Amino acid sequence: MATEIALAADFAIIIVTATVIGFLAKQTGQPTIIAYILTGLILGPVFLDVVTEEGLVELMAELGLGFLLFLLGIKMRFDDIREILRPITNIAIWQTVLQTALAFGIAFALGFSMVETIIIALATVFGATPVIVKILTDKDEITALPGKIDVGVLIVQDIYLVFVLAMLSAGTLDSPSEIAITLVTITVLISFIGIFSLVSSRYVLPTLFRRIADNKDVFFIVALAWAFLFITVSEEFNLSVEVGAFLAGISLAQLPYSKELEERISPVTDFFILVFFASIGLRLAADDLLAYWVEAVIASVVLMVGNFWIMFYLIDRENFSVETSFIGSINMIQVSEFSLVVGGIAVAQGFVGNEILGYLSLMALLTMSVSVYIINFNHEIYERVAPWFERFESEEKRDVDLPEYRDHAVAIGYDEITRNALPLLEETFGEVVVIDRKTAHVEELEEAGYNAIYGDFRHTEIRKAAGLGRAKFVLSSSVQPEVNKALLSEVPEDATVFVEANWIADARDLYDLGAHYVLMSTHLTAERMSEYLERYLEDREAFVRIVAEDIRRIRRYEESVPDGRASLGPEEFGQGVSRDE
């Protein structure tokens, strides 16, 4: 009983401390991962030494690593890089080779042993996927060409990461022949599970998730069950938990429901990820963290500069513009949090000591902290140095035109109002994107040739996918005030916005926030009911004529739509509450 109370207290201390440090990190623009690592350092032997990594904390940390890779897999949508797949493949492969060589050379020059040098080289080649994706998404640059290039390179890196984790988990670095045999075995096993993953994403998962996606609870539980299925299969093949979780995420990422699933599963994964990165700090004593602090500072500076020039050379070689090469390169200069994942497994397998994990932790903290500000101000930095980089310009270099939504119409929710408006919106704006949470609606829209996104509009990923920040017209059939206020805060100033409300007070607020028209269907219905009741009581013949006309109108619209789901005509489309009422 005392042990259970102690474990509960440990978790409470970790969560409270991480919350406080996370708040401070957010105020300074730092990623939460840094806050989680600092939580472990503060609560562990480095400072307070009040929490230890044992028992349930250790188990939860292992699950955290699995969920981190699962979430990483869900972000890997191959359609995101289809247009520039060939140059991205060239960039990513050579980037992995050259940055591994650079990291190896730096570690060897700093005096580390051969095994330590290999581990450091393997650990420091990765970009910080969660950090880069989060910042670029917030800046609405994830779909721009430099963002697409970075995402493509990160996808290849993440696949490489899975092989590195699987090889280290196998527990052998003794001889080249054993390493080769281990790699071949791992490749065969991962390929088998990977093929099953991709086949499932094409033939099994679409049907399954189409049936359950409308049920939020079942949708979430089935996704978790899918992850644990792959984790179990991986362990049966003597592969690591991370391999199974990553491949499970990849198979789900190819579904049209992946963005909604990513938003749903993030709160759970965030908790486990918090425990994992806190556990890294809990392992380290002060001596471990500071054993190679001078080397960590030197290596951080050299790697950041070296990583930039390697990426710049490789992107520039593919004849992208100088600005694209610069922005794509400067986003990728940091040592990733995955260096701690690789280092943690290497320590657990006995390849290196905790002081190497401390060295990697310092490098990750230093480079990620700096890179956050560099990515946030990447375009401003380029404007300052652009004159110097003009020497790399040439007539042959030009950027690929990527398809993206711009000056289009966005419709939120699919109902009678939206259905009637879509043809006119398409005729006027060319492209229309509809966001809806019902799979039947999404399928109907896609069959009709419209762009449909499955998901909840309140989720940031969904709004970004619809290009809300670049829309020319927005029509919301949602009566939820928070939904309509959120869209009004994100649309461009020159966008026209039609929304719906149930109450006059909400309509007033929406007009104050910039809505051009507020449809009051409830208000309209109440007025019409009063009018009809008055006619019925005072002039029965007039009432009969009005009802007969309504019935004729309904039948006329039913005939115009084969499935009988037509809405009423323009007169009944709805009356807005004017700004003067």
Side-chain angles (χ1 to χ4, degrees), residues 310-339:
I310 288 172
M311 278 291 292
F312 183 86
Y313 163 72
L314 294 173
I315 299 175
D316 183 71
R317 193 179 65 164
E318 296 294 331
N319 285 328
F320 290 109
S321 70
V322 172
E323 182 176 2
T324 295
S325 301
F326 183 91
I327 299 298
S329 304
I330 205 167
N331 292 341
M332 299 277 287
I333 61 173
Q334 67 288 110
V335 172
S336 166
E337 71 281 358
F338 292 117
S339 64

Side-chain angles (χ1 to χ4, degrees), residues 299-313:
S300 296
V301 174
V302 175
L303 275 176
M304 290 175 74
V305 174
N307 288 350
F308 169 80
W309 282 110
I310 288 172
M311 278 291 292
F312 183 86
Y313 163 72

Side-chain angles (χ1 to χ4, degrees), residues 457-513:
F457 178 80
R458 288 171 293 190
H459 294 159
T460 304
E461 285 285 337
I462 303 300
R463 298 198 297 273
K464 296 290 185 183
L468 183 66
R470 299 182 297 275
K472 199 73 174 176
F473 183 94
V474 181
L475 169 64
S476 172
S477 62
S478 172
V479 296
Q480 299 180 39
E482 66 272 17
V483 169
N484 293 324
K485 289 177 181 178
L487 79 86
L488 286 166
S489 68
E490 289 190 24
V491 295
E493 291 184 3
D494 61 345
T496 302
V497 181
F498 281 26
V499 296
E500 190 171 353
N502 272 338
W503 309 105
I504 293 178
D506 291 336
R508 290 289 187 190
D509 290 343
L510 294 171
Y511 274 127
D512 289 342
L513 291 171

Side-chain angles (χ1 to χ4, degrees), residues 23-206:
F23 174 78
L24 296 175
K26 187 174 182 179
Q27 299 304 306
T28 57
Q30 292 297 318
T32 53
I33 289 170
I34 289 180
Y36 299 158
I37 298 170
L38 290 176
T39 297
L41 293 174
I42 291 170
L43 298 179
V46 174
F47 290 104
L48 302 178
D49 199 16
V50 294
V51 176
T52 58
E53 192 217 8
E54 60 181 20
L56 190 58
V57 175
E58 187 175 1
L59 174 62
M60 296 289 272
E62 186 176 357
L63 284 174
L65 179 54
F67 275 113
L68 175 62
L69 271 293
F70 180 55
L71 189 61
L72 192 64
I74 290 178
K75 293 178 181 289
M76 287 182 54
R77 302 175 186 94
F78 296 131
D79 283 342
D80 290 347
I81 59 170
R82 192 180 302 277
E83 304 91 350
I84 49 175
L85 184 59
R86 186 196 61 78
I88 277 181
T89 303
N90 292 338
I91 293 168
I93 291 174
W94 281 106
Q95 179 266 352
T96 302
V97 172
L98 294 176
Q99 288 194 13
T100 301
L102 175 64
F104 183 94
I106 294 170
F108 189 76
L110 290 173
F112 291 100
S113 70
M114 183 56 67
V115 173
E116 291 172 341
T117 298
I118 292 173
I119 296 298
I120 292 170
L122 293 174
T124 53
V125 69
F126 308 105
T129 302
V131 175
I132 295 171
V133 170
K134 176 69 167 61
I135 297 175
L136 292 182
T137 300
D138 290 345
K139 294 182 67 181
D140 203 18
E141 293 182 12
I142 197 71
T143 56
L145 184 56
K148 291 265 191 179
I149 293 172
D150 291 340
V151 168
V153 172
L154 291 170
I155 287 175
V156 177
Q157 285 185 356
D158 296 338
I159 294 172
Y160 174 55
L161 169 68
V162 170
F163 279 89
V164 170
L165 295 179
M167 185 177 70
L168 292 178
S169 298
T172 177
L173 286 176
D174 295 335
S175 69
S177 60
E178 289 186 8
I179 293 174
I181 293 171
T182 300
L183 278 175
V184 170
T185 305
I186 290 171
T187 301
V188 171
L189 293 177
I190 290 180
S191 298
F192 176 78
I193 300 174
I195 291 171
F196 175 71
S197 169
L198 294 176
V199 169
S200 298
S201 70
R202 178 178 287 270
Y203 299 107
V204 178
L205 293 178

Side-chain angles (χ1 to χ4, degrees), residues 282-300:
L282 293 175
R283 297 181 196 179
L284 300 173
D287 291 342
D288 298 329
L289 184 66
L290 301 176
Y292 296 113
W293 73 269
V294 175
E295 290 87 345
V297 172
I298 294 171
S300 296

Side-chain angles (χ1 to χ4, degrees), residues 263-564:
E263 290 280 355
R264 289 282 174 81
I265 208 164
S266 288
V268 175
T269 55
D270 285 349
F271 170 73
F272 286 103
I273 290 169
L274 182 161
V275 178
F276 169 72
F277 283 108
S279 72
I280 296 290
L282 293 175
R283 297 181 196 179
L284 300 173
D287 291 342
D288 298 329
L289 184 66
L290 301 176
Y292 296 113
W293 73 269
V294 175
E295 290 87 345
V297 172
I298 294 171
S300 296
V301 174
V302 175
L303 275 176
M304 290 175 74
V305 174
N307 288 350
F308 169 80
W309 282 110
I310 288 172
M311 278 291 292
F312 183 86
Y313 163 72
L314 294 173
I315 299 175
D316 183 71
R317 193 179 65 164
E318 296 294 331
N319 285 328
F320 290 109
S321 70
V322 172
E323 182 176 2
T324 295
S325 301
F326 183 91
I327 299 298
S329 304
I330 205 167
N331 292 341
M332 299 277 287
I333 61 173
Q334 67 288 110
V335 172
S336 166
E337 71 281 358
F338 292 117
S339 64
L340 309 185
V341 175
V342 174
I345 292 177
V347 170
Q349 293 292 343
F351 294 128
V352 295
N354 276 333
E355 65 277 1
I356 298 300
L357 185 58
Y359 168 81
L360 294 172
S361 298
L362 273 183
M363 288 181 64
L365 289 170
L366 290 170
T367 58
M368 281 197 291
S369 299
V370 173
S371 70
V372 165
Y373 299 109
I374 289 177
I375 298 173
N376 272 314
F377 296 100
N378 50 12
H379 290 281
E380 290 82 356
I381 294 172
Y382 176 72
E383 289 176 4
R384 294 289 184 90
V385 301
W388 193 87
F389 277 84
E390 286 178 357
R391 68 190 69 186
F392 297 103
E393 292 280 8
S394 74
E395 294 182 358
E396 297 177 355
K397 295 176 180 177
R398 63 183 62 189
D399 288 338
V400 178
D401 292 327
L402 295 177
E404 69 170 3
Y405 299 126
R406 187 171 294 279
D407 295 333
H408 59 298
V410 175
I412 300 158
Y414 186 55
D415 57 10
E416 306 293 345
I417 295 173
T418 309
R419 186 181 289 110
N420 269 3
L422 285 180
L424 180 59
L425 292 177
E426 185 177 38
E427 180 183 344
T428 306
F429 298 100
E431 279 191 307
V432 183
V433 184
V434 185
I435 302 171
D436 196 88
R437 269 219 76 256
K438 290 189 178 294
T439 54
H441 289 172
V442 171
E443 290 174 2
E444 180 184 338
L445 287 161
E446 290 176 343
E447 288 174 3
Y450 294 107
N451 300 307
I453 296 175
Y454 173 87
D456 190 331
F457 178 80
R458 288 171 293 190
H459 294 159
T460 304
E461 285 285 337
I462 303 300
R463 298 198 297 273
K464 296 290 185 183
L468 183 66
R470 299 182 297 275
K472 199 73 174 176
F473 183 94
V474 181
L475 169 64
S476 172
S477 62
S478 172
V479 296
Q480 299 180 39
E482 66 272 17
V483 169
N484 293 324
K485 289 177 181 178
L487 79 86
L488 286 166
S489 68
E490 289 190 24
V491 295
E493 291 184 3
D494 61 345
T496 302
V497 181
F498 281 26
V499 296
E500 190 171 353
N502 272 338
W503 309 105
I504 293 178
D506 291 336
R508 290 289 187 190
D509 290 343
L510 294 171
Y511 274 127
D512 289 342
L513 291 171
H516 292 77
Y517 180 80
V518 180
L519 174 68
M520 290 286 292
S521 54
T522 305
H523 182 69
L524 171 64
T525 303
E527 285 187 348
R528 279 298 173 92
M529 178 59 73
S530 298
E531 290 176 9
Y532 277 41
L533 182 60
E534 184 178 350
R535 290 288 179 90
Y536 177 79
L537 295 174
E538 297 180 359
D539 189 345
R540 188 71 58 89
E541 291 183 4
F543 173 78
V544 171
R545 287 196 302 272
I546 293 173
V547 172
E549 178 61 30
D550 284 349
I551 291 172
R552 283 195 298 271
R553 186 179 292 110
I554 290 171
R555 286 174 179 168
R556 189 163 61 246
Y557 280 101
E558 279 182 332
E559 291 171 0
S560 69
V561 178
D563 62 6

